[in-house]
Amino acid sequence: MALGDTKSEIPPSDKFVARCGFNSFDFVPSEGRSGGLWLLWKNVITSSFSLTVVSKHRNYLACICNDFKANYKFYYVFVYAPAHENLKSIFWDEFSTFVKSLPLPVVVMGDLNELQQTLFPLLIWGLNSLGVKRKRGMIIFMN
């Protein structure tokens, strides 16, 4: 289970993690009242699936996932992108470099802080109706 924008500078308690049905977690602390990521999972020795956190950044947690039955590995990256306009392009540039460095398929999920501002207008008015300033961030990353 992934929780974003927790606004928590401390990790979840072991009791909270157990009550949610999990026995493992990792987190990225918030910066003041912004951000914060919690990732909770069930780590079972006899399981055919494993998850290992391999990278942490103030805006994401990256894990390598291994499905032993399907003999398939991939990266799962849980993102809480910056909400402030001046930090977005810096984040997406850094994030793009990071993702391109990964040697396996990547699944990106989370609060990208682009949906309302970037994708929703795309669905209604189309890319050509947006100003040049809007043609960046996640859209550039996806291309």
Side-chain angles (χ1 to χ4, degrees):
M1 176 170 64
L3 301 171
D5 199 17
T6 61
K7 296 180 177 40
S8 176
E9 295 176 3
I10 60 173
S13 70
D14 290 337
K15 186 176 180 180
F16 173 82
V17 172
R19 275 199 315 218
C20 291
F22 303 101
N23 61 6
S24 299
F25 71 88
D26 207 332
F27 83 108
V28 173
S30 66
E31 293 182 358
R33 296 189 43 89
S34 178
L37 302 168
W38 289 358
L39 184 64
L40 297 82
W41 69 95
K42 191 171 239 177
N43 198 7
V44 181
I45 294 172
T46 59
S47 174
S48 63
F49 186 85
S50 72
L51 181 149
T52 305
V53 174
V54 294
S55 182
K56 290 168 47 167
H57 178 276
R58 70 176 175 268
N59 293 103
Y60 63 82
L61 258 168
C63 313
I64 188 164
C65 301
N66 193 344
D67 183 337
F68 298 109
K69 281 187 181 177
N71 194 27
Y72 188 74
K73 289 183 181 180
F74 64 95
Y75 285 92
Y76 167 72
V77 186
F78 178 51
V79 174
Y80 180 74
H84 299 290
E85 287 296 322
N86 59 337
L87 299 176
K88 284 184 182 187
S89 61
I90 295 168
F91 166 74
W92 286 110
D93 287 344
E94 290 174 359
F95 187 67
S96 179
T97 300
F98 170 70
V99 169
K100 288 176 184 174
S101 75
L102 301 176
L104 298 170
V106 179
V107 174
V108 177
M109 297 178 73
D111 183 347
L112 307 177
N113 270 316
E114 294 279 348
L115 184 59
Q116 183 179 7
Q117 295 127 349
T118 302
L119 291 183
F120 186 66
L122 284 176
L123 298 174
I124 296 174
W125 299 291
L127 185 58
N128 292 331
S129 68
L130 299 177
V132 174
K133 186 177 178 184
R134 285 286 189 232
K135 296 177 186 175
R136 64 174 204 293
M138 189 178 68
I139 300 300
I140 293 170
F141 168 74
M142 289 173 20
N143 290 328

